[in-house]
Amino acid sequence: MKEQIWAQIIAVKQNSPLVHNITNYVVMNNTANALLAVGASPIMAHAHAELTEMVNIAGALVINIGTLDEYWVKSMLIAAEQANTLGKPWVLDPVGAGATTYRNEVLKQLLKLKPTVIRGNASEIMALASQSNSTKGVDSVHQSNDAVSAALRLNDEFGSVVCISGATDIIVNNDNTTRLSNGNSLMAKVTGLGCTATALTGAFLAVNPQDAFLATTAAMALLGVCGEIAADLSAGPGSLQVNLLDILYNLTEEEFFTTLKIS
Amino acid sequence: MKEQIWAQIIAVKQNSPLVHNITNYVVMNNTANALLAVGASPIMAHAHAELTEMVNIAGALVINIGTLDEYWVKSMLIAAEQANTLGKPWVLDPVGAGATTYRNEVLKQLLKLKPTVIRGNASEIMALASQSNSTKGVDSVHQSNDAVSAALRLNDEFGSVVCISGATDIIVNNDNTTRLSNGNSLMAKVTGLGCTATALTGAFLAVNPQDAFLATTAAMALLGVCGEIAADLSAGPGSLQVNLLDILYNLTEEEFFTTLKIS
Amino acid sequence: MKEQIWAQIIAVKQNSPLVHNITNYVVMNNTANALLAVGASPIMAHAHAELTEMVNIAGALVINIGTLDEYWVKSMLIAAEQANTLGKPWVLDPVGAGATTYRNEVLKQLLKLKPTVIRGNASEIMALASQSNSTKGVDSVHQSNDAVSAALRLNDEFGSVVCISGATDIIVNNDNTTRLSNGNSLMAKVTGLGCTATALTGAFLAVNPQDAFLATTAAMALLGVCGEIAADLSAGPGSLQVNLLDILYNLTEEEFFTTLKIS
């Protein structure tokens, strides 16, 4: 599978897919930079009047509810519907699922539009599956393993590939489970690396819409490997953010194969 | 007092308080990263429909009017009222006070809700106390000392601890004045370090709501010390931003005690 | 001309002009930091109720449509009209021109207000001149030279100095064409350096509103030279972003003169 994943990484670099992001204010800059570093071409746009056309020209859509409000929720719904109409893949990042009633209601509407992929931390995936209010803000208080049955329920109901990210990233669909054990705990001290994972998943879906499981696995593997290498070079979260972009841009096949921990 | 301040810094790391920010677009990423670096857990949310619940789960609220508009002002008012209802501390950053009539009117409404702490530069604090139009944008044209009487008036009228930040940071309430002389002039060349000071104040208020004066002093001391150490390592404002996050994350008790200049 | 350009760079440092930005969410932080690094004082504000007063106190206005929506478009129109009323210079960054009908319609309205300067990549300038839908997102698929006749048409119709940025930056008005060949291809891997070029143009217009051609040339020359020097020091796009701010802050006259490639 390692070779298959590397082939996806090369495909993103060569095809430079256009990824349309409707995401939160906190991470827009980082996720745009991460997309550029891996070879994709990011666009951020949310005006109702242009969303249909934007989705038309994009290879994939990323929806992240982090700093949602009424206007942006409508943007998300319009764009996800258009992605479905065109058969284009889209990925949902349910930031803060479970924290408020409003977030839960918005997520219910988005789930009905059957995201190709859902990526969240364990607490978010569990809240999404149970619609319970158990999240402490946007940081996970659960381990990835705790959320596997929740991920399976989401896959069963909505058909989505589900990625639970954390110390171990677990990617789940109805007949596959892959575990990735790269990364570094320092990554949790940089805001929005989960959102970056979601954005990268969009890039990989754009070049491989036929195999969302492989696309998600490739995105998570790339970020985990690069985050791990970058953290080893970094004195703290400030330098990690910088080094991560450099490594995403420069990663070699050899570094990737020797660092990747997949099972 | 040094030991008391250090104890606050440790308390933030150990308790990982959830800090709810309604802040400006320019600094959201930086302030989230600074909060993570000191051990706090940031959340940014502004949708009217979820503010009450967000304030319910947060330990403190940060309101920064930098890129205000009608929707966001309503968000600020809803959240500050809920913080007051629950007796939770909140801190106001009056960015650009005095620059426009609209800002002044919004600030009047927010002041009526009696912020636990107000943090601004000298020009902003003076404008806030006098409601005069004397600000040149968001950068201060006054020294901290010029604003002490304005700070005392604000404390007298609204009960807020007032922090005037600048080359010297001055923290004022009705019976205390503390001066901090750390930092480096290069910090003024990085956007939003004042906003970062305000966000950190929120984290310290969350772990010590009983003593807003000490919480504010601790936040300003930590940022000043780390900014000073980081600036010594930095070639310019780009590297300062990176090094600051690394130092906020790594600061030792010994570095803190030998660098802190307090009177 | 090199000495004239350097004199502009010094003038920005000495006068610290206030530059009012109505720009996109992705780049607000970077462009604020770039403005601070060159000595300018950035302000970001978009509330309808305060725009007239903000333009009154600013030296120049920057309008960037990257993440436009109905509210922000109205902000842009109010501010550009006020700039015209006061005879203050303003610069337009037509991000994603040609990508959607909505963008094209908004750009038509903004062009009617005769921007002092227009800065875009070749694809954007060509789309702006032809109102054709040929852009692939926000990244250019054309070379600067392809867009010169489009730039001349825009200058002819709206009187604007037009800057086509790319591997070669071309600045055009009715009787002058200047080519700058600094920079590095790595700059295209950092989001928003085009937007930074536009913001810096605002700073130079503020100190030299009489000569928009020289102001634009100086801004582009400074960014190209600093980007080139910074890229040589950088392992990838993450470190480039950091080094660029450091070099913008520290650039010496000698480095500028030995690096600048102008014709």
Side-chain angles (χ1 to χ4, degrees):
Chain A
M1 189 161 193
K2 288 187 174 191
E3 285 76 15
Q4 261 185 302
I5 293 175
W6 183 254
Q8 303 303 309
I9 293 169
I10 297 301
V12 169
K13 272 193 206 294
Q14 288 178 341
N15 295 302
S16 192
L18 187 62
V19 181
H20 178 194
N21 299 269
I22 303 179
T23 189
N24 73 71
Y25 301 122
V26 184
V27 306
M28 280 191 190
N29 187 266
N30 308 45
T31 54
N33 276 324
L35 285 167
L36 285 168
V38 302
S41 182
I43 196 154
M44 272 73 178
H46 65 285
H48 298 168
E50 68 174 352
L51 283 169
T52 306
E53 285 174 272
M54 278 298 180
V55 176
N56 289 354
I57 60 172
L61 171 67
V62 175
I63 291 184
N64 175 310
I65 69 162
T67 53
L68 84 181
D69 63 25
E70 297 82 352
Y71 187 95
W72 285 71
V73 168
K74 192 171 171 194
S75 304
M76 293 170 194
L77 294 169
I78 294 170
E81 279 170 11
Q82 181 66 6
N84 286 347
T85 298
L86 300 174
K88 294 197 180 181
W90 70 281
V91 50
L92 172 65
D93 192 327
V95 180
T100 67
T101 309
Y102 180 57
R103 265 166 215 257
N104 290 345
E105 283 170 2
V106 166
L107 287 168
K108 263 185 214 170
Q109 294 179 271
L110 288 166
L111 284 175
K112 278 185 197 153
L113 298 175
K114 297 178 181 290
T116 316
V117 179
I118 302 168
R119 196 230 43 95
N121 62 40
S123 296
E124 288 163 346
I125 296 300
M126 292 164 79
L128 202 58
S130 69
Q131 296 291 345
S132 76
N133 279 46
S134 62
T135 310
K136 186 202 171 203
V138 296
D139 298 319
S140 189
V141 295
H142 295 95
Q143 303 297 314
S144 298
N145 269 323
D146 303 341
V148 171
S149 65
L152 285 167
R153 282 203 303 284
L154 291 168
N155 173 264
D156 194 46
E157 189 165 1
F158 305 107
S160 313
V161 171
V162 179
C163 172
I164 311 154
S165 63
T168 301
D169 300 322
I170 307 179
I171 299 108
V172 170
N173 72 1
N174 56 329
D175 50 23
N176 269 304
T177 302
T178 294
R179 284 160 201 272
L180 298 162
S181 306
N182 289 106
N184 183 301
S185 61
L186 190 60
M187 293 173 76
K189 295 295 177 184
V190 176
T191 195
L193 289 194
C195 307
T196 296
T198 307
L200 295 185
T201 300
F204 283 83
L205 285 170
V207 296
N208 189 357
Q210 301 80 16
D211 190 344
F213 190 88
L214 176 59
T216 307
T217 303
M220 298 307 296
L222 177 60
L223 185 62
V225 163
C226 291
E228 184 170 319
I229 295 172
D232 283 344
L233 302 171
S234 300
S239 40
L240 174 53
Q241 197 168 13
V242 173
N243 290 326
L244 177 58
L245 291 172
D246 285 357
I247 302 291
L248 282 171
Y249 182 72
N250 289 309
L251 185 73
T252 64
E253 187 174 359
E254 192 189 338
E255 288 172 313
F256 183 69
F257 285 149
T258 58
T259 311
L260 182 64
K261 293 174 211 129
I262 190 169
S263 63
Chain B
M1 189 160 192
K2 288 187 175 192
E3 285 75 15
Q4 263 185 298
I5 293 175
W6 183 253
Q8 303 302 309
I9 293 169
I10 297 301
V12 169
K13 273 193 206 294
Q14 289 178 341
N15 295 302
S16 192
L18 186 62
V19 181
H20 178 193
N21 300 269
I22 303 180
T23 188
N24 73 70
Y25 301 122
V26 184
V27 306
M28 281 191 190
N29 187 266
N30 308 45
T31 54
N33 275 325
L35 284 166
L36 285 168
V38 303
S41 182
I43 197 155
M44 271 71 179
H46 66 285
H48 299 167
E50 68 174 353
L51 283 169
T52 306
E53 285 173 272
M54 277 299 179
V55 176
N56 288 355
I57 62 172
L61 172 67
V62 175
I63 290 183
N64 174 310
I65 68 162
T67 53
L68 84 178
D69 63 26
E70 296 82 351
Y71 187 95
W72 285 71
V73 168
K74 192 171 170 194
S75 304
M76 294 171 194
L77 294 169
I78 294 170
E81 279 170 11
Q82 180 66 5
N84 285 348
T85 299
L86 300 173
K88 294 198 180 181
W90 69 282
V91 51
L92 173 65
D93 192 328
V95 180
T100 68
T101 310
Y102 180 57
R103 266 165 214 258
N104 289 346
E105 283 170 3
V106 166
L107 287 169
K108 262 186 214 169
Q109 292 179 272
L110 287 166
L111 284 175
K112 278 186 197 154
L113 298 175
K114 295 180 183 289
T116 316
V117 179
I118 302 167
R119 196 228 45 94
N121 63 39
S123 296
E124 289 162 345
I125 296 300
M126 291 165 79
L128 202 59
S130 70
Q131 296 291 345
S132 75
N133 278 46
S134 62
T135 310
K136 185 203 171 202
V138 296
D139 298 319
S140 189
V141 295
H142 294 96
Q143 303 297 316
S144 297
N145 268 324
D146 303 340
V148 171
S149 65
L152 286 167
R153 282 203 302 284
L154 290 167
N155 173 266
D156 193 46
E157 189 165 1
F158 305 107
S160 313
V161 171
V162 179
C163 172
I164 311 154
S165 63
T168 302
D169 300 321
I170 307 178
I171 299 110
V172 170
N173 73 0
N174 56 329
D175 50 23
N176 268 305
T177 302
T178 293
R179 284 160 202 269
L180 298 162
S181 307
N182 289 106
N184 183 301
S185 62
L186 190 60
M187 294 173 75
K189 295 294 177 184
V190 177
T191 195
L193 290 193
C195 307
T196 295
T198 307
L200 295 185
T201 300
F204 284 82
L205 285 170
V207 297
N208 190 356
Q210 301 79 17
D211 190 344
F213 189 89
L214 176 59
T216 306
T217 303
M220 299 307 297
L222 177 60
L223 185 61
V225 164
C226 291
E228 184 170 320
I229 295 172
D232 283 344
L233 302 171
S234 299
S239 41
L240 174 53
Q241 197 168 12
V242 173
N243 289 327
L244 177 59
L245 290 171
D246 285 356
I247 302 291
L248 282 170
Y249 182 72
N250 289 309
L251 185 74
T252 64
E253 187 174 358
E254 193 189 337
E255 287 172 314
F256 183 71
F257 285 149
T258 57
T259 311
L260 182 64
K261 295 173 210 129
I262 189 169
S263 63
Chain C
M1 190 162 193
K2 287 186 175 193
E3 285 76 15
Q4 261 186 301
I5 293 176
W6 183 253
Q8 303 303 310
I9 293 169
I10 296 302
V12 169
K13 273 194 206 294
Q14 287 178 342
N15 295 302
S16 192
L18 187 62
V19 181
H20 178 193
N21 300 269
I22 303 179
T23 188
N24 72 72
Y25 301 122
V26 184
V27 306
M28 281 191 189
N29 187 267
N30 307 46
T31 54
N33 275 325
L35 285 166
L36 285 168
V38 303
S41 182
I43 196 154
M44 271 71 178
H46 65 285
H48 299 167
E50 68 175 353
L51 283 169
T52 306
E53 285 173 273
M54 277 299 179
V55 176
N56 289 354
I57 61 173
L61 172 66
V62 175
I63 291 184
N64 175 309
I65 69 161
T67 54
L68 84 179
D69 64 25
E70 296 82 351
Y71 187 95
W72 284 71
V73 168
K74 192 172 170 193
S75 304
M76 293 170 194
L77 293 169
I78 294 170
E81 279 169 10
Q82 181 66 6
N84 285 347
T85 299
L86 300 173
K88 293 196 180 182
W90 69 282
V91 50
L92 172 64
D93 192 327
V95 180
T100 67
T101 310
Y102 180 57
R103 266 167 214 256
N104 290 345
E105 282 171 2
V106 166
L107 287 169
K108 263 185 213 168
Q109 292 179 272
L110 287 166
L111 284 175
K112 278 186 197 152
L113 298 174
K114 296 180 182 289
T116 316
V117 179
I118 301 168
R119 194 228 46 93
N121 62 40
S123 296
E124 288 162 347
I125 296 300
M126 290 165 79
L128 203 59
S130 70
Q131 296 292 342
S132 75
N133 277 46
S134 62
T135 310
K136 185 201 171 205
V138 296
D139 298 320
S140 190
V141 294
H142 295 95
Q143 303 296 315
S144 297
N145 269 324
D146 304 340
V148 171
S149 65
L152 285 167
R153 282 203 302 284
L154 290 168
N155 174 265
D156 193 46
E157 189 166 1
F158 305 107
S160 312
V161 171
V162 180
C163 173
I164 311 154
S165 63
T168 301
D169 300 322
I170 307 178
I171 299 110
V172 169
N173 71 1
N174 56 328
D175 50 24
N176 267 303
T177 302
T178 293
R179 284 160 201 270
L180 298 162
S181 307
N182 289 107
N184 183 301
S185 61
L186 190 60
M187 294 172 76
K189 295 294 177 184
V190 176
T191 195
L193 290 193
C195 307
T196 296
T198 307
L200 294 185
T201 300
F204 283 82
L205 285 170
V207 297
N208 190 357
Q210 301 80 16
D211 190 344
F213 189 88
L214 176 59
T216 306
T217 303
M220 299 308 296
L222 177 59
L223 185 61
V225 163
C226 291
E228 184 170 320
I229 296 172
D232 283 344
L233 302 171
S234 299
S239 41
L240 174 54
Q241 197 168 14
V242 174
N243 289 327
L244 176 60
L245 290 171
D246 285 357
I247 302 291
L248 282 171
Y249 182 72
N250 288 310
L251 184 74
T252 64
E253 186 174 0
E254 193 190 337
E255 288 172 313
F256 183 70
F257 285 148
T258 56
T259 311
L260 182 64
K261 295 174 210 130
I262 189 169
S263 63

